[in-house]
Amino acid sequence: KFVDLRWQLDRNLFHRCRGRLHANMTSFGVILNECQRSQAAHKKCVRMLLEKKKEMGEAFLEELVFHLQHVLLVFKHDAGVERVLSFVVTFVTHREEGKEEESDEFLENMLSFLVCIAKAKDKAVRYRVCQLIAGIFNGMDEDAEVSDDLAQEIMTSMLERLQDKVPQVRAQAARALARLQDPGENATFEDDPIVEAYKHILACDKNKDVRKAVLASMAIADATMPDIVDRTSDINDEVRRVAYHVLAAKVPLQSMKIADRVLVLRRGLSDRVKRVADAAHQLLEHWFKTSAKGDVLKLLGMLDVELYEKDAVVVVEALIKLGIVKPMEAAKQAAEKGEGLRGVTIHRLLLSEEALLWRVIIEKLSEESQQHGSAAANALGATAAVEAAVASDYLEAIESALPATVEEYVAGIEQHAHAGMEFRFTTRQLLELSNRVDMTEATGRISASNLIAELMQEIPTGEDRTLVADGGDGSWERTLLKVANHVHLESSEFANFMSGIILELFQTWLENGNLTCDGALWTQVLALLGAFWEVASNTRTADSTVFSTCHMLERLVVPAFQHDNHAVCREAVKCLGLYCVLDTYGSSSYLQVFYSAASSAVETSAVRAAAVSALLDLALLRGFHAIEECFPAPVDNGAKELSLLSLMMGALQERPSEDSSLDPLTDDDEPRTVAAEGMAKLLMHLDLMPPGKSFSDEEAARVFSRLVLLYFDASTEGSLRLRQCLSVFFDAFASSCARHHRIICAAFLPTVRKAGLSVASKRGRGLSGTAQVSRFLLQLLQQPISPTSEREMVEETGHLDLMFKIAVELRSCAPGCHEKEGKAFVAALCKALGTVPFDSRQEERAFHLYTLVVQLANINTIRADRSARKDLEVLQEALYATFPEKHEPMSEEALDRLWTNAMQMHNNDIQLKDAPLPFELKEHVVERRTTRLASTYHNPSTSSNSVEDPVSDDSENDFEDCEEYSNENQIDVLHVDKCMKENRNERLALKENLDL
């Protein structure tokens, strides 16, 4: 009985404890703690919370909000907090069967509470509220409804949060507005305020997470597609990757313009970041499977291969990389089924997409065979045998893809050439494969030569857009020249062949009387001649070409300069420039022609660009000053002497003409782009030129300064070739040799001065032009030099000279800087002075610089600027650390002599005279600062920190109480040199001239 009673008591106690435990388990705190364990427990917790909701009734929301407040105060990312918020979103968006209206009412009440606290001062609350609203809206069922008033309140609140100063809040607000976008009556999203806010954020927001959130939330429409496409070139690789994922998930290929399709694939497939390139390959594969239905030719047809040939080639290569196109299998199937190039007949011609596809396939097979052949030649034993067998397989695949004989290959080209202008692109693709065809057979060579001669003698009619005279880009002529060069293996044979064709064309058109009246005919003849000379210069056949074609110069090229058609003049200048490259020593007599064309205000930009290109090519071959020496002296005694440097500097300052209706400009036809590229090449080859033939260091510094200002000019943002050329040049120039560092140092101060007047502020992201350009030049100076000899390892880089010049510049202008521009200029110079790398082995010069820096730190303008003062303190510590032992104090005379020498070096800089300060100095400003000489030699960590609050230098009676000090303890820190003060009119004239 006792045992039974004990068991009965224990059982009753167990049931009471279980009831209490069940009651505790259903409390809010326990449920929210339980949901933090894992996502799998959320369904169970939702059921428990629903039971709690039934028990508590209307008080449930208040209790839930009370417990939720603890989570809203956590800003830091935490896994437990994220699971709690995810659980709350799951519960709020849960709709019980039969109680949908009650669930929607509870959802609206929850959203109303969140909107009320969305303006909280605590950033954590704002962040978590926007996160909850975004999660609830994105997790709502399609049947769930929210009142219009509440939706309007949420939209207004979240649009305000899009302007929040905290990036995390802006990102969550962007996610919350995703389902509130209104397409409007026309379903274009053009008038939607949310879409407009999204566009502004994509263009202006600096935080990558915000841009990523907007990309994932923005609706897809014609109005938003340009903004999404623009993000494929975002500065951040993560944003670019998200842009490609959005395009793959939301945008079908057919809904995009052809230009946008090509642009997106071009940027992504050539992206340097592997993750972005992989995302672009995934996008291409997705479009191939969904939009093109697995058909390669259909995909290429959507990209317009004739207009975007290079991009289509990249796409085919990407398909080969993905394994979608298999060149070996395609070649074998073509041989078995008689398709591809072997299936060409008069009734079955290749389309543009087919021709380009087979061209890329054969080129890929040829590349693989060459790689394996080289590997077999460099290997031994079994490895060599394996590589040779693989190379043989690729060669067999090429033979199976190409026509069986040369006659069949030429016949296929002839069929496409005679089929009409719509097959001209296909014809050129087949001609590109001529170097893969064996032309050793005499019969095949003769037929190919006859076909090339026939194609070259075509007369432009205005309908064939492939000819240069009809607006072509010259690719057709270059392809014909390439095939002719391959057919005629010997250089003399090739030169005679081309000379005969060009003279025959010239004589035929001259006899018909069309050459003098029709500019298109003359343009085509000159284009063929220029392409011939270009191929000859690249194939080392200059001697035979000059002797066989010199008679064409006077008959074809020289008369073309007097033609009224600008296209004829442009081709004539190009031809003359190529001929001068071939005949270097006989080119002196034509330099005046190039100079006149380049400096003429009547000629079009394309003609002047061709003349500039010719002059710079000759300067690279013979030397810059060697070309100037060949210029004839002016006939008039008062005329200005011809200067190639002044001509090129003027071309660098030239802006593209706004009126491009008569002469549509491209990057290659812009004189500024051509001049910048040529001058950059000349600077890179300074050491390769004979002494006296190239730039001096002063001239090189002047040119370098102009290139830097051109790089930061806002008007060059559209010149892609110019910007790419300069961005590559600067890094290569700075890392080449010590002489290049000296040139950069010499150009530093003039460039920084002009930058204050000329650099567009919008490219600086809030920085002044001085600070931006100064930082860029300092990055170049910090690049390590790649020495090619032991002499260059110890050669002077000029960094300390630059630091002395900056110190004198600060001493001259800092006390007179009272405006915002002047203070920004001084701050940038202080930052530069503390950042320039210096050689610690030059102990004496470092000690002298340390002495000057200590004096500069006591100027009021510098003392008042915390960042400038800090930069000088850091420099003092760095210089002080280079002294192995304590130096003797400098006398007042030695210090004055040091400043005098530094000022003389500063004043002797010719470039500074042409670059006035970007602000006005206050007149009659003479400051005297009392500084003990002994403070110059103790630890700088104590000297700079002991400075009192900055003293205003508006009064000329500063430091009147310092008169009690003896003259031995007083030194002049600044005396404004009147010769350094530039006239305001001169400064404004320079600013107007630059117009930047």
Side-chain angles (χ1 to χ4, degrees):
K1 291 182 179 181
F2 176 76
V3 175
D4 293 340
L5 180 62
R6 179 65 180 271
W7 179 83
Q8 186 69 27
L9 292 174
D10 291 342
R11 188 174 62 175
N12 294 338
L13 179 62
F14 170 75
H15 283 295
R16 288 196 301 270
C17 293
R18 187 177 65 174
R20 294 175 182 174
L21 181 64
H22 181 71
N24 292 332
M25 285 294 294
T26 56
S27 65
F28 280 96
V30 174
I31 295 174
L32 293 179
N33 288 336
E34 183 69 19
C35 72
Q36 296 182 46
R37 298 176 181 269
S38 66
Q39 295 284 346
H42 285 190
K43 291 184 178 180
K44 175 183 175 182
C45 294
V46 167
R47 292 194 298 267
M48 297 169 61
L49 209 56
L50 286 175
E51 294 178 2
K52 196 72 175 177
K53 180 180 177 183
K54 294 177 183 179
E55 295 177 3
M56 300 185 64
E58 297 180 356
F60 173 77
L61 179 60
E62 182 179 356
E63 188 71 15
L64 177 62
V65 167
F66 173 77
H67 287 83
L68 192 60
Q69 290 177 356
H70 302 284
V71 183
L72 297 180
L73 294 173
V74 181
F75 182 77
K76 186 178 180 180
H77 180 79
D78 183 79
V81 175
E82 300 299 331
R83 292 195 186 103
V84 170
L85 295 177
S86 176
F87 165 71
V88 173
V89 169
T90 304
F91 174 75
V92 173
T93 56
H94 177 75
R95 304 181 76 195
E96 294 185 81
E97 295 184 3
K99 298 181 179 180
E100 287 80 3
E101 294 183 359
E102 182 180 349
S103 300
D104 292 346
E105 182 181 358
F106 175 77
L107 184 145
E108 288 193 5
N109 293 333
M110 187 66 180
L111 289 175
S112 299
F113 163 74
L114 294 175
V115 171
C116 291
I117 62 174
K119 296 182 179 180
K121 293 183 178 180
D122 193 341
K123 64 178 181 180
V125 177
R126 300 196 305 272
Y127 169 55
R128 296 302 179 182
V129 165
C130 293
Q131 185 179 3
L132 280 174
I133 294 177
I136 291 173
F137 263 102
N138 295 328
M140 288 170 51
D141 294 340
E142 295 181 358
D143 298 334
E145 296 180 358
V146 177
S147 63
D148 294 340
D149 295 338
L150 179 60
Q152 184 65 32
E153 290 180 6
I154 294 175
M155 184 180 70
T156 304
S157 177
M158 292 299 101
L159 284 175
E160 292 180 0
R161 292 306 99 212
L162 280 180
Q163 308 298 327
D164 199 282
K165 63 181 180 180
V166 181
Q168 292 86 340
V169 178
R170 299 199 300 271
Q172 295 299 331
R175 293 181 59 244
L177 291 169
R179 295 187 64 174
L180 294 177
Q181 300 174 82
D182 185 12
E185 298 180 356
N186 300 328
T188 58
F189 292 92
E190 291 182 354
D191 301 327
D192 185 36
I194 299 178
V195 174
E196 294 298 326
Y198 279 170
K199 291 182 177 182
H200 178 74
I201 288 177
L202 285 179
C204 303
D205 202 295
K206 297 180 181 180
N207 188 269
K208 62 177 182 179
D209 295 326
V210 179
R211 300 198 300 273
K212 287 164 58 177
V214 171
L215 273 177
S217 305
M218 180 177 281
I220 303 300
D222 292 340
T224 60
M225 188 59 63
D227 301 275
I228 297 176
V229 172
D230 287 343
R231 289 308 99 198
T232 57
S233 62
D234 194 276
I235 190 174
N236 186 270
D237 58 297
E238 295 183 14
V239 179
R240 299 198 300 270
R241 182 175 60 87
V242 171
Y244 282 101
H245 286 318
V246 169
L247 290 173
K250 299 181 180 180
V251 182
L253 183 62
Q254 294 87 343
S255 63
M256 297 179 64
K257 300 178 181 179
I258 295 179
D260 290 340
R261 304 171 191 171
V262 175
L263 181 61
V264 165
L265 293 176
R266 178 194 307 154
R267 290 173 176 172
L269 296 178
S270 60
D271 200 290
R272 298 179 180 179
V273 181
K274 186 177 183 302
R275 293 185 301 172
V276 181
D278 292 342
H281 281 84
Q282 294 175 7
L283 172 64
L284 177 61
E285 186 176 5
H286 175 74
W287 280 349
F288 171 75
K289 293 179 179 179
T290 57
S291 300
K293 307 299 182 182
D295 188 355
V296 178
L297 296 180
K298 185 177 180 181
L299 177 64
L300 293 177
M302 295 178 178
L303 300 178
D304 194 355
V305 297
E306 295 189 11
L307 186 59
Y308 304 102
E309 179 184 352
K310 294 181 180 179
D311 301 300
V313 171
V314 174
V315 169
V316 176
E317 292 175 350
L319 293 175
I320 294 175
K321 182 179 179 180
L322 291 171
I324 296 174
V325 176
K326 300 178 180 179
M328 186 75 74
E329 296 180 4
K332 292 180 179 179
Q333 291 179 2
E336 294 174 357
K337 299 180 181 180
E339 298 177 349
L341 300 181
R342 292 204 168 192
V344 175
T345 62
I346 193 172
H347 301 292
R348 200 270 178 189
L349 300 177
L350 294 177
L351 299 177
S352 301
E353 296 79 13
E354 291 180 277
L356 183 134
L357 176 63
W358 280 108
R359 173 198 149 194
V360 177
I361 287 176
I362 293 176
E363 288 179 350
K364 186 65 176 179
L365 291 172
S366 177
E367 179 183 350
E368 292 291 337
S369 65
Q370 292 177 2
Q371 291 181 357
H372 288 283
S374 300
N378 297 327
L380 298 174
T383 304
V386 172
E387 294 292 343
V390 174
S392 178
D393 293 340
Y394 280 109
L395 290 176
E396 291 179 0
I398 294 174
E399 293 179 359
S400 61
L402 289 172
T405 62
V406 179
E407 288 80 1
E408 294 181 4
Y409 168 73
V410 175
I413 297 176
E414 188 175 2
Q415 291 174 2
H416 287 87
H418 295 162
M421 294 303 172
E422 60 271 16
F423 289 97
R424 183 55 62 93
F425 179 83
T426 303
T427 305
R428 186 165 62 82
Q429 299 302 311
L430 296 177
L431 289 170
E432 292 283 353
L433 296 174
S434 61
N435 56 349
R436 316 295 178 188
V437 180
D438 187 8
M439 291 289 183
T440 56
E441 187 180 354
T443 306
R445 290 177 57 198
I446 294 174
S447 59
S449 179
N450 294 335
L451 177 61
I452 296 301
E454 179 184 352
L455 295 177
M456 284 186 178
Q457 294 177 355
E458 291 183 346
I459 299 176
T461 59
E463 300 177 357
D464 186 4
R465 306 303 299 176
T466 59
L467 299 178
V468 172
D470 292 335
D473 57 355
S475 57
W476 173 255
E477 288 78 9
R478 288 192 295 270
T479 302
L480 292 178
L481 265 295
K482 187 189 301 181
V483 177
N485 192 21
H486 179 65
V487 172
H488 302 279
L489 301 179
E490 296 183 1
S491 59
S492 58
E493 182 183 355
F494 171 61
N496 294 332
F497 171 76
M498 289 303 305
S499 300
I501 290 181
I502 294 174
L503 285 179
E504 184 177 352
L505 285 173
F506 175 75
Q507 191 64 30
T508 302
W509 293 339
L510 189 61
E511 292 176 356
N512 295 335
N514 295 327
L515 191 58
T516 56
C517 60
D518 192 349
L521 301 179
W522 207 337
T523 303
Q524 186 63 27
V525 175
L526 293 174
L528 283 175
L529 181 60
F532 168 49
W533 281 341
E534 183 177 358
V535 172
S537 62
N538 294 333
T539 54
R540 305 296 183 182
T541 60
D543 293 338
S544 59
T545 302
V546 169
F547 287 116
S548 61
T549 59
C550 61
H551 56 281
M552 298 183 185
L553 196 63
E554 299 296 333
R555 300 185 62 186
L556 281 175
V557 180
V558 176
F561 285 100
Q562 306 300 326
H563 204 281
D564 296 335
N565 194 322
H566 294 296
V568 176
C569 296
R570 179 193 61 194
E571 295 300 327
V573 173
K574 288 182 179 180
C575 288
L576 185 59
L578 290 168
Y579 179 83
C580 291
V581 171
L582 292 174
D583 187 11
T584 308
Y585 296 100
S587 60
S588 302
S589 57
Y590 301 106
L591 293 178
Q592 178 63 36
V593 177
F594 294 132
Y595 187 91
S596 300
S599 59
S600 175
V602 181
E603 298 291 351
T604 60
S605 297
V607 176
R608 288 188 285 112
V612 169
S613 177
L615 287 172
L616 291 175
D617 288 341
L618 293 175
L620 280 171
L621 290 174
R622 301 177 54 183
F624 193 85
H625 290 298
I627 299 299
E628 281 190 328
E629 293 173 357
C630 297
F631 283 163
V635 179
D636 188 2
N637 294 330
K640 187 177 180 180
E641 186 178 356
L642 303 180
S643 173
L644 182 58
L645 181 59
S646 60
L647 175 64
M648 294 305 157
M649 295 297 286
L652 291 176
Q653 295 180 0
E654 181 179 345
R655 283 173 168 267
S657 176
E658 297 180 358
D659 184 14
S660 57
S661 57
L662 298 177
D663 184 23
L665 287 181
T666 63
D667 241 4
D668 296 337
D669 293 337
E670 187 178 342
R672 182 176 61 176
T673 301
V674 177
E677 184 176 351
M679 299 299 271
K681 291 178 181 178
L682 287 170
L683 288 178
M684 282 298 300
H685 296 84
L686 284 177
D687 295 334
L688 300 180
M689 296 292 178
K693 298 296 184 182
S694 185
F695 295 127
S696 63
D697 286 354
E698 294 181 357
E699 293 173 336
R702 182 183 173 191
V703 173
F704 183 84
S705 175
R706 172 50 54 189
L707 292 179
V708 172
L709 293 175
L710 184 63
Y711 181 68
F712 284 94
D713 187 357
S715 66
T716 63
E717 290 184 351
S719 302
L720 300 181
R721 178 178 175 180
L722 171 62
R723 299 197 61 79
Q724 183 179 9
C725 172
L726 291 180
S727 62
V728 174
F729 158 72
F730 288 131
D731 291 336
F733 184 79
S735 59
S736 296
C737 62
R739 183 186 178 187
H740 292 176
H741 271 237
R742 293 196 298 272
I743 293 173
I744 298 175
C745 291
F748 186 91
L749 279 180
T751 307
V752 169
R753 280 188 176 187
K754 293 179 181 179
L757 297 171
S758 61
V759 176
S761 58
K762 66 178 182 180
R763 286 187 51 79
R765 295 186 178 183
L767 296 175
S768 66
T770 301
Q772 186 186 6
V773 174
S774 173
R775 185 175 61 180
F776 175 75
L777 293 175
L778 290 172
Q779 290 176 354
L780 297 181
L781 291 177
Q782 291 171 354
Q783 290 191 9
I785 301 174
S786 302
T788 57
S789 63
E790 296 182 359
R791 182 181 62 85
E792 291 188 358
M793 296 181 64
V794 297
E795 194 173 353
E796 174 62 34
T797 57
H799 291 182
L800 279 174
D801 291 339
L802 174 61
M803 298 178 77
F804 276 100
K805 289 182 180 180
I806 296 176
V808 174
E809 184 84 353
L810 287 171
R811 184 176 185 263
S812 302
C813 65
C817 299
H818 301 285
E819 302 297 333
K820 181 179 179 181
E821 295 80 4
K823 293 179 180 179
F825 182 79
V826 170
L829 289 185
C830 290
K831 184 69 175 178
L833 184 60
T835 312
V836 175
F838 60 91
D839 189 1
S840 59
R841 295 174 297 182
Q842 301 184 21
E843 180 184 342
E844 183 178 359
R845 299 196 68 193
F847 170 68
H848 292 168
L849 179 63
Y850 171 76
T851 306
L852 301 185
V853 171
V854 171
Q855 305 301 320
L856 292 176
N858 290 280
I859 299 178
N860 275 354
T861 306
I862 297 177
R863 293 173 59 194
D865 192 330
R866 180 180 302 177
S867 61
R869 188 173 69 248
K870 183 64 176 178
D871 292 331
L872 294 187
E873 290 175 3
V874 173
L875 177 60
Q876 290 179 42
E877 295 177 0
L879 292 171
Y880 188 83
T882 61
F883 306 153
E885 57 184 9
K886 185 176 180 180
H887 286 260
E888 297 182 359
M890 294 182 64
S891 63
E892 183 178 356
E893 295 180 359
L895 188 59
D896 290 341
R897 191 165 51 252
L898 179 61
W899 276 117
T900 303
N901 294 336
M903 180 67 76
Q904 185 177 3
M905 181 177 61
H906 181 274
N907 293 340
N908 290 336
D909 195 337
I910 301 177
Q911 295 189 65
L912 287 178
K913 298 180 181 179
D914 298 331
L917 290 170
F919 56 91
E920 289 188 12
L921 286 177
K922 206 170 184 181
E923 294 185 4
H924 308 298
V925 176
V926 179
E927 294 191 0
R928 300 179 64 87
R929 295 291 179 260
T930 302
T931 308
R932 294 186 181 273
L933 290 175
S935 66
T936 308
Y937 311 110
H938 61 67
N939 195 321
S941 61
T942 61
S943 63
S944 298
N945 295 331
S946 61
V947 177
E948 300 293 336
D949 292 337
V951 182
S952 174
D953 51 358
D954 293 337
S955 173
E956 297 181 2
N957 298 322
D958 290 344
F959 292 94
E960 291 181 355
D961 54 343
C962 295
E963 294 295 334
E964 61 184 82
Y965 287 99
S966 62
N967 293 331
E968 296 179 357
N969 293 329
Q970 293 184 355
I971 58 174
D972 278 341
V973 177
L974 174 68
H975 176 74
V976 177
D977 192 18
K978 294 183 179 180
C979 65
M980 293 298 298
K981 181 175 174 10
E982 301 291 343
N983 193 346
R984 176 180 177 84
N985 295 332
E986 179 184 358
R987 187 165 52 256
L988 294 178
L990 178 60
K991 184 176 181 180
E992 183 178 357
N993 183 28
L994 293 172
D995 192 22
L996 302 176

